[in-house]
Amino acid sequence: MSRLIENPGAIFRRPVLAGAVVVLLLSSTALPAQARETLRIGYQKSSTLITLLKTQGKLDKALTEADIDVSWHEFPSGLPLLEALNVGNVDISADVADTVPIFAQAAQAKLTYFAQEAPSPSAQAIVVRKDSPLQQLADLKGKKVAVTKAAGAHYLLIAALNKAGLKFADIQPAYLSPSDGRAAFENGKVDAWVTWEPFLSGVQRQLPTRTLADGTGLASYKRYYLTGNAYAKQHPEILKLVYEQLQEAGHWAKNHPRDAAQVLGPLWGNLDVETVEAANAHRSYQVQPVKADQLDEQQKIADAFFAAGLLPKAVDAGDAQIWAP
């Protein structure tokens, strides 16, 4: 516009329409459209609250209204999800078990906690077949136990063995995914299975089982939401929006258990509504801020895995950053 004002005669010698076109062209080049921000979300099918938000379109809508696009990236488990977060392939992670950030920290990942779900100790357990001769935790000595490596259930197993006066080396761990663990358990290839919801309610409702122990008094089982350190510093407003949406989803899931189960059942391998409701009853879904003085159990988890020879080095849980809403 300033060049036109400096040479007004040139404008007036052109047709009015041509002058208008020039003005529009100069305006469009002087004020380019700002590129929209894109939030890349990593999640698992078992990421309940994020899955609800994704399926119902609520988070996409809230972010779109804030001029933010969304891309969704599914991962088979928590460890590869946090690896992708660490190298910058996603911006935030949906919930992962409390053990997963410890393994990520051992790999020198630079992570920031931005939300947690309140403890859900009964959402994971050690199960045996109903006719199994194993009656107590001490009976696991020398037995083959299916567990998913680095999952929250992995720490439950370590804590339960410690309670029984056993070491991790006293059992034969079979590191299996939940689906493979279920198959091995069902076919008698392992003596016990340590798993979490919704796999726990699924096996309890579909097979004759007994529970040797759940997490009560052993492992509180929190679920954490994380982002990279740089992203937390650069985009606190996006984290706040996501945090608020997660809180709303948690309230909705608890207040509408049947509706939530109908949404989640098809996503969880076509589980029936009653099984999903039973699974969700064991989860708190209370989204809360993470506080530094609440990382004590994270340190216990880190110390337990290191003592069992499952971490390459000791981990200080407090080295992770915390974002507060």
Side-chain angles (χ1 to χ4, degrees):
M1 294 289 292
S2 61
R3 283 179 290 172
L4 292 176
I5 294 172
E6 289 170 1
N7 189 12
I11 295 178
F12 293 121
R13 286 195 295 269
R14 294 186 179 92
V16 174
L17 180 59
V21 172
V22 171
V23 171
L24 289 173
L25 288 173
L26 288 173
S27 298
S28 64
T29 55
L31 297 172
Q34 188 173 3
R36 288 167 62 96
E37 185 76 30
T38 297
L39 174 63
R40 300 167 299 168
I41 301 175
Y43 72 103
Q44 309 168 67
K45 282 185 178 177
S46 60
S47 302
T48 309
L49 300 186
I50 281 285
T51 300
L52 284 173
L53 289 171
K54 177 179 183 293
T55 303
Q56 296 174 326
K58 292 182 178 179
L59 184 55
D60 291 77
K61 183 175 183 294
L63 288 166
T64 298
E65 290 174 351
D67 291 327
I68 301 165
D69 294 324
V70 187
S71 64
W72 297 92
H73 306 268
E74 185 178 328
F75 292 82
S77 61
L79 272 181
L81 170 51
L82 291 198
E83 289 169 1
L85 182 66
N86 186 47
V87 299
N89 289 336
V90 295
D91 300 312
I92 68 171
S93 84
D95 57 302
V96 295
D98 43 16
T99 54
V100 182
I102 299 302
F103 278 81
Q105 280 188 257
Q108 300 183 328
K110 304 300 182 183
L111 303 175
T112 295
Y113 294 100
F114 76 89
Q116 67 176 346
E117 291 178 18
S120 303
S122 63
Q124 52 182 2
I126 303 171
V127 295
V128 297
R129 291 179 299 279
K130 194 169 185 178
D131 59 356
S132 170
L134 306 183
Q135 299 295 323
Q136 55 188 354
L137 292 172
D139 295 335
L140 291 172
K141 185 174 184 178
K143 303 303 180 182
K144 194 170 186 178
V145 182
V147 65
T148 301
K149 191 171 185 179
H154 197 171
Y155 175 64
L156 170 60
L157 177 58
I158 293 174
L161 292 173
N162 288 341
K163 180 182 179 181
L166 300 176
K167 297 179 180 179
F168 196 76
D170 290 328
I171 66 162
Q172 301 176 52
Y175 292 124
L176 299 171
S177 67
S179 58
D180 290 339
R182 167 67 185 260
F185 180 76
E186 190 169 351
N187 295 323
K189 302 296 184 182
V190 295
D191 300 294
W193 184 29
V194 196
T195 192
W196 64 94
E197 297 293 8
F199 311 107
L200 178 59
S201 287
V203 74
Q204 288 174 330
R205 290 176 57 85
Q206 295 162 7
L207 295 176
T209 66
R210 282 187 291 108
T211 299
L212 289 186
D214 65 16
T216 304
L218 294 172
S220 65
Y221 188 52
K222 293 182 180 180
R223 307 282 298 186
Y224 287 101
Y225 298 80
L226 298 105
T227 184
N229 292 351
Y231 194 87
K233 293 176 181 177
Q234 295 167 6
H235 300 286
E237 74 289 347
I238 296 179
L239 294 182
K240 186 175 187 297
L241 189 155
V242 174
Y243 178 87
E244 291 170 349
Q245 287 288 311
L246 288 170
Q247 280 193 318
E248 290 183 15
H251 293 316
W252 184 84
K254 279 301 185 182
N255 293 330
H256 302 84
R258 176 56 59 109
D259 293 336
Q262 290 173 338
V263 174
L264 294 167
L267 304 175
W268 288 354
N270 290 318
L271 283 178
D272 61 274
V273 171
E274 289 73 20
T275 297
V276 178
E277 281 194 85
N280 284 342
H282 291 148
R283 292 279 298 275
S284 73
Y285 294 137
Q286 296 175 16
V287 176
Q288 304 173 339
V290 180
K291 298 181 180 179
D293 59 3
Q294 295 176 343
L295 294 180
D296 291 351
E297 185 160 8
Q298 288 298 90
Q299 191 59 57
K300 290 180 182 178
I301 292 171
D303 295 342
F305 276 114
F306 182 66
L310 299 169
L311 286 179
K313 65 176 185 177
V315 169
D316 183 349
D319 283 346
Q321 301 297 307
I322 296 173
W323 173 88

